[in-house]
Amino acid sequence: MSRITKILGAFILTLLSIKSFAQGTSSKKSNEVPKGWHLMDKEKDGQYGISLNKAYDFFKSKKLKSKQVIVAVIDSGIDTLHEDLKDVLWVNTKEIPGNGIDDDQNGYVDDINGWNFLGNKNGKNVEQDSYEGARVYHALKSKYEGKTIDINSLSEDDKYEYTMWKKAKEAVMGSSEDEGVDLYFLKKVVGASKKQDSILKKAMGKDIYTGNELDAFEPKTQAERVAKTSLLSLFKGNNMMELSNKEFIEGFEQYLRGEESKAEAKEKAPIPYRANVVGDNEDDINDKGYGNNNVMVSLSASEHGTHVSGIIAASRGNGKGVDGIADNVKIMMLRAVPDGDEHDKDIALAIRYAVDNGAKVINMSFGKSFSPHKKWIDEAVNYAQSKGVLLVHAAGNDHKNVDSTDNFPNPLYLGSGKQATNWITVGASANGDPDQDGFTASFSNYGKEQVDVFAPGARIYATFPGGNVYRSLDGTSMASPVVAGTAALLLSYFPYLTPEQLKECIEKGAVSPGQKVRKPGTDQMIDLSEISKTGGLLNAYESAKIAANMSPQSKNENSSKPTLKNKKN
């Protein structure tokens, strides 16, 4: 599911529950947040960012030189022509572009900047897809529906499958207490928004306008005032003031289509979007080599991945748009996340591709509630761990506790009780403004055991498809690349660090906000340590100081126990 649709959906659910369009306006002040606040420093800039410039000053004071690091971004795609990204794209120098030959014999033809696992050799691509819950429910319905199952007699694999199917059934069919979304009212709201948009376009004399431009617009008639108030409530309520009316309305309609699809899923199986295009055997992990080398596909498809990539690595110091976090990295794009839920096979193979082609950090800003082929993911994660690759994953945007709520992929190996040591799960922080979200983004998932650290994820300004376009977006999808970028930065200056050492640097470098924070989705004020392992906010400078005191590990050392040099900075 796209970030715009998911956050919009959360707001619309609140809107529907109160059955009042005007009451959807956010009660919080719409204070401007500085562009790039996530890179700033509390003492110098008054923003609870990651103190990035202090980290660079530290590297300079130590006379350190960086070594290039490849960061794989498993996502929706990337604008390969963007002014701030085209120079940081990973290039597979072992391939001859466009000759139709697998020159490096890695199984992927002309994979110049990465690979698209959501396409076929004829150039067709998957953009929209269904949700995993519906896929699981209908795929296993004939096996379990209406049958008496003795769960104790099942194998571990079958037990996992049956339990997953029961959860999928409840998700698709709903529980007795679940009233679901009022589709009739939602359609009315969408229709009203389109009508108000039409009024405003005529009144403002332009077909495209942003939420900020709408906020500044002075209506002259009652109809214009009503239209402005109603539509502005949605822009502000979703913190999407820089989004255009076109993108916002399209996202609203997309959310409606998604809810209609969920309603249809109660009666029939979802459309097999991926199967209709890709042509592989999705149930065979050894059926590889499918897809194509188009890692952009379209502007709309590449929105999420472009933004994520820019947070990590937008060209620094070029005077354009924004600066990424890491100054000596290359972005390898692995397109495996559609508008809908990703497929386990694509993610597992994308992880393996990244590892085999030199990536040392992998960012994963996606997630879902069901994982029918989790063993494939686990095997890929274990493979990455064996090759010294760090995985960074977004915690999710449902303001839920992921210690007790399924959120896949995750570092917990199925059936063993063990956990991957090369994995960081990231919650989203805000800039500390008490009139906004405070220190924690209201949408962020959390977990004392499973969320390692909180990092900036609200109103993050970065690259957007269009060649020279930039936007502010919200989500743990934005927080994850802030951590991935920081990890890559540390690794570029300390290339001997293991994934476990990188994780240690990031965790021990996290800084407590020094006061209570809001539990996401509530008004309850708690210690950050109650909803994350570290109880801290990411800080690149503090992590850099810790990294400088870490020694290279010998091969016989336990990689999960980083060692510190016995000296002070």
Side-chain angles (χ1 to χ4, degrees):
M1 181 186 295
S2 72
R3 181 210 57 83
I4 292 176
T5 305
K6 196 162 189 177
I7 296 178
L8 179 63
F11 181 71
I12 295 301
L13 287 175
T14 303
L15 182 68
L16 291 171
S17 69
I18 57 178
K19 293 290 194 291
S20 172
F21 195 82
Q23 288 178 330
T25 304
S26 173
S27 62
K28 298 175 184 177
K29 297 178 182 178
S30 57
N31 295 348
E32 288 293 326
V33 175
K35 292 176 180 177
W37 76 265
H38 61 291
L39 308 179
M40 296 179 183
D41 177 70
K42 176 61 174 68
E43 293 180 1
K44 182 179 179 181
D45 308 302
Q47 300 291 326
Y48 284 86
I50 65 172
S51 303
L52 184 62
N53 285 339
K54 287 178 71 173
Y56 276 108
D57 289 342
F58 176 76
F59 298 139
K60 186 176 181 180
S61 72
K62 296 289 185 180
K63 295 182 171 57
L64 297 173
K65 293 184 178 180
S66 63
K67 180 180 179 181
Q68 190 175 98
V69 174
I70 299 172
V71 179
V73 176
I74 303 177
D75 216 292
S76 66
I78 187 171
D79 182 352
T80 56
L81 301 177
H82 198 286
E83 62 179 6
D84 243 352
L85 293 175
K86 61 184 180 181
D87 292 334
V88 299
L89 294 178
W90 171 72
V91 176
N92 183 358
T93 57
K94 297 177 182 179
E95 281 286 329
I96 300 173
N99 69 351
I101 299 172
D102 182 13
D103 299 293
D104 59 2
Q105 297 183 357
N106 68 350
Y108 302 93
V109 177
D110 289 339
D111 52 325
I112 303 302
N113 302 126
W115 194 249
N116 172 19
F117 290 91
L118 298 175
N120 64 27
K121 291 178 173 60
N122 296 323
K124 292 185 178 180
N125 301 291
V126 180
E127 295 193 37
Q128 179 184 359
D129 210 334
S130 55
Y131 300 104
E132 193 71 88
R135 299 197 294 252
V136 168
Y137 170 63
H138 286 283
L140 298 173
K141 185 176 180 180
S142 61
K143 185 174 181 179
Y144 294 118
E145 185 73 88
K147 298 178 182 178
T148 301
I149 305 296
D150 179 9
I151 194 168
N152 295 320
S153 67
L154 299 177
S155 67
E156 287 301 314
D157 287 349
D158 286 343
K159 190 178 296 184
Y160 174 78
E161 180 184 85
Y162 176 62
T163 301
M164 176 182 59
W165 178 78
K166 288 202 303 181
K167 290 181 179 178
K169 179 180 179 180
E170 182 173 336
V172 171
M173 303 305 292
S175 63
S176 57
E177 294 83 16
D178 182 14
E179 296 181 4
V181 171
D182 187 334
L183 283 176
Y184 173 76
F185 184 73
L186 180 58
K187 289 178 182 178
K188 288 186 64 176
V189 176
V190 172
S193 297
K194 293 173 69 175
K195 181 178 180 180
Q196 289 148 2
D197 178 52
S198 179
I199 293 172
L200 292 168
K201 286 191 290 188
K202 183 176 181 181
M204 297 171 71
K206 57 175 71 175
D207 289 331
I208 303 294
Y209 58 86
T210 66
N212 286 322
E213 290 172 329
L214 176 59
D215 198 15
F217 167 64
E218 294 293 338
K220 296 179 180 178
T221 68
Q222 178 64 16
E224 292 172 3
R225 282 191 288 273
V226 171
K228 175 183 175 178
T229 299
S230 298
L231 203 55
L232 190 61
S233 70
L234 290 175
F235 275 101
K236 286 187 174 181
N238 288 279
N239 297 319
M240 294 180 181
M241 296 295 286
E242 294 187 9
L243 212 64
S244 73
N245 59 317
K246 181 177 183 294
E247 293 164 323
F248 196 88
I249 295 296
E250 286 177 353
F252 206 166
E253 291 179 313
Q254 186 179 20
Y255 174 70
L256 172 59
R257 290 195 299 270
E259 290 304 312
E260 289 174 331
S261 295
K262 289 178 182 178
E264 291 177 1
K266 294 181 180 181
E267 304 297 331
K268 58 183 180 180
I271 296 171
Y273 295 99
R274 182 187 177 283
N276 289 344
V277 171
V278 177
D280 67 320
N281 179 358
E282 192 180 342
D283 293 319
D284 182 4
I285 191 65
N286 294 311
D287 182 9
K288 307 174 185 178
Y290 60 89
N292 60 48
N293 69 345
N294 184 354
V295 296
M296 180 175 174
V297 177
S298 67
L299 291 180
S300 59
S302 61
E303 288 177 358
H304 194 273
T306 298
H307 199 268
V308 165
S309 298
I311 293 171
I312 297 170
S315 295
R316 291 182 57 80
N318 64 355
K320 298 177 181 179
V322 297
D323 283 344
I325 292 170
D327 65 344
N328 196 1
V329 301
K330 294 296 182 181
I331 295 294
M332 174 193 294
M333 174 53 63
L334 299 170
R335 186 171 183 271
V337 183
D339 178 18
D341 281 344
E342 63 278 1
H343 293 250
D344 288 345
K345 179 180 177 180
D346 300 332
I347 301 305
L349 291 181
I351 292 172
R352 288 181 176 274
Y353 179 102
V355 174
D356 289 339
N357 288 278
K360 286 301 178 183
V361 178
I362 301 176
N363 186 80
M364 303 184 294
S365 290
F366 53 83
K368 56 183 180 178
S369 300
F370 300 90
S371 184
H373 291 298
K374 178 165 170 51
K375 276 195 171 183
W376 293 347
I377 303 289
D378 290 350
E379 289 167 358
V381 170
N382 189 57
Y383 180 63
Q385 183 173 326
S386 72
K387 299 295 184 179
V389 179
L390 179 70
L391 303 172
V392 185
H393 184 237
N397 301 329
D398 303 305
H399 50 74
K400 292 182 179 178
N401 186 344
V402 294
D403 289 349
S404 55
T405 303
D406 285 335
N407 183 49
F408 299 105
N410 62 44
L412 301 171
Y413 290 129
L414 187 63
S416 71
K418 296 181 180 180
Q419 185 160 323
T421 60
N422 62 326
W423 186 290
I424 299 176
T425 301
V426 188
S429 65
N431 73 326
D433 185 345
D435 290 327
Q436 299 285 345
D437 286 330
F439 292 100
T440 53
S442 60
F443 52 79
S444 180
N445 284 353
Y446 54 90
K448 184 176 177 64
E449 300 297 327
Q450 292 303 316
V451 173
D452 296 290
V453 68
F454 273 69
R459 302 170 185 83
I460 306 301
Y461 190 69
T463 47
F464 207 73
N468 60 352
V469 181
Y470 302 83
R471 294 273 164 78
S472 290
L473 299 180
D474 296 341
T476 57
S477 283
M478 285 65 251
S480 181
V482 174
V483 172
T486 300
L489 176 68
L490 297 177
L491 191 60
S492 69
Y493 284 94
F494 306 101
Y496 52 80
L497 293 176
T498 66
E500 291 78 16
Q501 286 179 312
L502 284 171
K503 181 174 181 178
E504 183 86 356
C505 292
I506 286 168
E507 289 185 339
K508 287 196 171 181
V511 176
S512 169
Q515 55 185 285
K516 300 282 186 180
V517 302
R518 184 176 289 106
K519 184 178 181 180
T522 75
D523 289 324
Q524 181 182 355
M525 302 302 291
I526 58 174
D527 291 328
L528 188 56
S529 60
E530 293 184 44
I531 57 173
S532 68
K533 186 188 297 184
T534 62
L537 307 171
L538 177 71
N539 189 283
Y541 170 60
E542 295 297 332
S543 294
K545 290 193 295 181
I546 294 171
N549 278 335
M550 280 191 169
S551 300
Q553 291 185 349
S554 62
K555 292 182 179 180
N556 60 354
E557 284 187 85
N558 183 344
S559 62
S560 65
K561 295 181 180 179
T563 55
L564 293 175
K565 298 176 184 177
N566 186 22
K567 70 175 185 178
K568 296 181 180 178
N569 291 318

